[in-house]
Amino acid sequence: MRPSVFLAGMAVLAPALAASDGDDPGVSSCVACHGEIESMHPEAQLSCTDCHGGDDRASTLQEAHVPASRREASDERVAPLDRDLARRRFVNPMDLRVAEDVCGDCHQDTVEHVLVSLHGTTAGHLSDGFYEMGLFEERGSRFSVFPVDGAPRTGGEVEKLVQIPEHDESSADASDLRSHYTDLARKECMQCHLWSEGRAVRGRVGFDGDYRGEGCAACHVPYAIDGLSRSGDFSIPKGEPGHPRLHSMTRAPETSTCTSCHYGDASIGLHFRGLSQLPPGAPGGPDIPGTTDTPLNRTFYLSDPDITPPDVHHERGMHCIDCHTANDVMGDGKLHGQMEHAVEI
């Protein structure tokens, strides 16, 4: 937002702010720009700066916001653990790089568990391919998005995980396709899970069904299928995809949140809803019976109850988390390497 717009808003709302109780954590100069923004965490008396940082008593946008120390990449690459943490917190306080200092004030155990969960490490996916490509003689989880030296609780099948290595052109014959697998895993597999918002980055259109948050927000802040905001925050460009549906969180994510990620690989999010991938090159769309009318995840799907009936639980209105509860989704504090070890159900 331009500074002139910010100052105009301040002029309109200044009398209301002046008449308010200055000790009220819910009242700040932030509302001058962000208008009727929804309460993200109404159960707790938190101010904007308690989560985002910044200065909620500033009179200019530049003073109120936390500036970026460097220009961030505009694509889906995974940022390092220490990349511009104050700015990342300002943009998304639920980013796992800062979650221990923000969410962890009240939810320390939960944050610690998430960091070593499969949603946080991606251990199975990142490691399995090395065996399947013939690079390892035995299966086993060795790699994570970032290093994990241990876990809050003992009893897991894995003691530690190391960061997946970069592709080393000097270590193998470039004509051997196996030698390129590490590069594939770093560029493709790490876009899933919690250290990234995936390919549907803010401002990128045409990724309906893929838009989601990063870190804790991936599950706890709902996004619309089209990634457009319906918030009362009038500073958000309503035609730009990649924004949460509202500035509010949910304790119980709906199936649509889970399926923003879980539609590839084993396709469980598709089958649960009665959808299936079409054969390569097969047509789909509103003119093709038995397929979806609109693109989802950049493609059309088979949608025929006689061929791909939905799961009975989905038919009855149940959501993924009705069965996959906290230990499944956010981890049990132990370090696991495979899904079959981490899923309770």
Side-chain angles (χ1 to χ4, degrees):
M1 177 175 287
R2 299 187 305 275
S4 59
V5 178
F6 177 88
L7 293 175
M10 285 295 292
V12 172
L13 293 178
L17 291 174
S20 301
D21 182 359
D23 295 329
D24 184 350
V27 176
S28 71
S29 63
C30 303
V31 298
C33 272
H34 296 284
E36 298 178 4
I37 190 170
E38 301 80 19
S39 176
M40 176 62 76
H41 201 329
E43 297 85 357
Q45 290 295 315
L46 297 171
S47 70
C48 304
T49 54
D50 285 336
C51 294
H52 290 276
D55 184 354
D56 60 357
R57 296 296 173 181
S59 58
T60 68
L61 181 149
Q62 288 84 357
E63 294 173 341
H65 286 195
V66 176
S69 64
R70 56 180 294 167
R71 184 176 180 179
E72 284 290 337
S74 59
D75 56 27
E76 64 271 26
R77 73 188 69 185
V78 178
L81 281 174
D82 58 353
R83 176 65 57 80
D84 207 352
L85 296 183
R87 175 64 180 180
R88 297 191 74 86
R89 173 180 177 176
F90 182 73
V91 174
N92 175 17
M94 299 186 194
D95 189 312
L96 289 190
R97 296 164 184 81
V98 298
E100 287 184 285
D101 296 327
V102 183
C103 309
D105 282 348
C106 297
H107 308 286
Q108 181 179 356
D109 288 347
T110 301
V111 174
E112 290 179 349
H113 288 190
V114 168
L115 287 169
V116 301
S117 70
L118 286 180
H119 272 134
T121 66
T122 322
H125 287 306
L126 288 182
S127 303
D128 286 349
F130 285 84
Y131 170 79
E132 293 164 359
M133 291 295 295
L135 295 171
F136 291 162
E137 293 184 358
E138 297 179 355
R139 287 188 180 275
S141 297
R142 310 183 188 186
F143 301 125
S144 174
V145 178
F146 293 112
V148 179
D149 294 328
R153 298 178 60 195
T154 60
E157 299 75 35
V158 182
E159 293 185 3
K160 66 177 183 178
L161 297 166
V162 299
Q163 187 169 4
I164 189 168
E166 298 181 10
H167 174 58
D168 184 0
E169 295 183 0
S170 64
S171 65
D173 182 359
S175 64
D176 183 354
L177 290 179
R178 296 179 303 171
S179 68
H180 297 273
Y181 175 74
T182 298
D183 210 27
L184 172 67
R186 288 178 61 84
K187 291 180 177 179
E188 184 75 10
C189 305
M190 290 198 301
Q191 293 168 5
C192 293
H193 298 255
L194 304 182
W195 293 100
S196 163
E197 57 185 352
R199 299 182 185 89
V201 296
R202 182 169 297 178
R204 184 177 284 178
V205 299
F207 280 70
D208 288 13
D210 289 352
Y211 296 105
R212 63 174 177 85
E214 181 177 355
C216 306
C219 295
H220 290 290
V221 179
Y223 281 62
I225 295 296
D226 57 13
L228 298 179
S229 171
R230 277 74 169 173
S231 173
D233 181 351
F234 45 71
S235 74
I236 299 176
K238 295 302 188 288
E240 179 185 70
H243 295 272
R245 185 169 60 213
L246 299 172
H247 182 263
S248 62
M249 63 188 303
T250 179
R251 182 180 182 184
E254 296 182 352
T255 294
S256 59
T257 297
C258 305
T259 55
S260 66
C261 291
H262 291 279
Y263 62 83
D265 196 13
S267 301
I268 184 63
L270 297 178
H271 301 158
F272 183 66
R273 295 174 292 168
L275 303 175
S276 183
Q277 294 171 331
L278 289 165
D287 297 329
I288 308 298
T291 66
T292 53
D293 292 336
T294 57
L296 192 64
N297 316 124
R298 305 175 304 287
T299 190
F300 294 102
Y301 290 117
L302 178 66
S303 179
D304 187 333
D306 293 330
I307 301 174
T308 57
D311 188 284
V312 63
H313 302 88
H314 180 71
E315 283 190 310
R316 298 295 177 88
M318 294 177 67
H319 293 276
C320 304
I321 65 163
D322 288 325
C323 294
H324 295 286
T325 52
N327 281 356
D328 268 16
V329 179
M330 295 191 289
D332 58 4
K334 302 175 184 179
L335 192 55
H336 301 291
Q338 304 291 337
M339 188 181 299
E340 57 265 30
H341 298 148
V343 175
E344 290 185 321
I345 184 173

